[in-house]
Amino acid sequence: MKQTTGGHEASPGFDAIQAGVGKRLDDVAKILAGALVTVAGVMTALGLTSDVVFVALNNESWPIYVASLCAILAIVCSIVALLIHPTRRGNVWETVVLVIGVILYMVALSVAVVGAAKAAGGNGRPTISNVALEGPKSSLRLSFGVRADGVETWAAVGVYVVAIDAEGESVGGPRDLYASSLRPDDQGRITQNISIPVSAIRDAWGLEIVAITADGSDECEAREVRGATCATIQLP
């Protein structure tokens, strides 16, 4: 005899349909289970390799955090969906959970593209290296290198050389000994070696080199993301 519940006969065919729907939903849940791996693969394909991960995190690249969090939440949704029993009501709840998981999955992928492009492109901050004063005192030459990665196409890095006294204040008038505006190449990189003659300046203790990013502060000690990069060398 067939068992009845509430005056209605149980339908084996209906249960089979619900089980089939539940299986298809479980397949979607299993796909979402690999969300974190997929997001990591997208970031790697777009240039976020291991050598720039810590740089990106140090620069507080929020897209990477958001993409990772959304991917983890998508995995949580997939696990919850797999644990739901494939009944009529269970399939409804599983569908709701999976819709949320798919939305989180798509957000993670979208934000991963932004995060990878931002992190792999660098931050545009310049560095000053190989600072040297060469030659006799009567004909000194100042040489140094300027490098920056991830500079936006429209932007430039301003480079200035000023004479300073022992207190770090500029001397010799308002004009700079050297001023240049450096533009990036097609890959957003600036690499420039500079060598300039230095004449005797009264009351000068040394020379200060300042590299400023677009829209950045010109204060060497400013605690800002786009603060200036500075180097000082004492005159002989």
Side-chain angles (χ1 to χ4, degrees), residues 81-105:
L82 288 170
L83 295 177
I84 296 176
H85 190 68
T87 62
R88 181 175 183 179
R89 178 175 295 181
N91 286 342
V92 172
W93 280 108
E94 187 172 2
T95 301
V96 172
V97 172
L98 287 179
V99 167
I100 297 174
V102 169
I103 292 174
L104 291 170
Y105 180 70

Side-chain angles (χ1 to χ4, degrees), residues 131-154:
V131 181
L133 274 173
E134 301 173 325
K137 192 172 182 179
S138 58
S139 58
L140 287 172
R141 293 194 69 87
L142 172 67
S143 60
F144 59 94
V146 178
R147 178 182 174 83
D149 294 315
V151 182
E152 297 179 3
T153 304
W154 58 266

Side-chain angles (χ1 to χ4, degrees), residues 46-131:
L46 293 176
L48 187 60
T49 53
S50 58
D51 59 338
V52 296
V53 168
F54 292 109
V55 175
L57 296 177
N58 184 58
N59 289 333
E60 298 181 358
S61 184
W62 64 265
I64 296 178
Y65 292 105
V66 173
S68 300
L69 177 61
C70 288
I72 292 172
L73 292 176
I75 294 173
V76 172
C77 288
S78 71
I79 295 174
V80 173
L82 288 170
L83 295 177
I84 296 176
H85 190 68
T87 62
R88 181 175 183 179
R89 178 175 295 181
N91 286 342
V92 172
W93 280 108
E94 187 172 2
T95 301
V96 172
V97 172
L98 287 179
V99 167
I100 297 174
V102 169
I103 292 174
L104 291 170
Y105 180 70
M106 298 307 296
V107 170
L109 289 178
S110 300
V111 178
V113 174
V114 177
K118 181 178 179 181
N123 50 44
R125 289 197 296 267
T127 58
I128 299 172
S129 60
N130 301 324
V131 181

Side-chain angles (χ1 to χ4, degrees), residues 5-75:
T5 304
H8 297 281
E9 293 184 355
S11 174
F14 181 78
D15 291 341
I17 293 173
Q18 294 301 319
V21 172
K23 183 180 183 303
R24 288 193 292 270
L25 292 175
D26 288 347
D27 292 338
V28 176
K30 292 174 183 177
I31 294 174
L32 290 181
L36 195 60
V37 175
T38 304
V39 169
V42 169
M43 289 184 175
T44 301
L46 293 176
L48 187 60
T49 53
S50 58
D51 59 338
V52 296
V53 168
F54 292 109
V55 175
L57 296 177
N58 184 58
N59 289 333
E60 298 181 358
S61 184
W62 64 265
I64 296 178
Y65 292 105
V66 173
S68 300
L69 177 61
C70 288
I72 292 172
L73 292 176
I75 294 173

Side-chain angles (χ1 to χ4, degrees), residues 30 45 47 60 115 122 128 159 161 186 188 198 215-216 219 235:
K30 292 174 183 177
E60 298 181 358
I128 299 172
V159 180
V161 177
D186 292 339
V198 178
D215 300 327
E219 296 183 14
L235 290 169

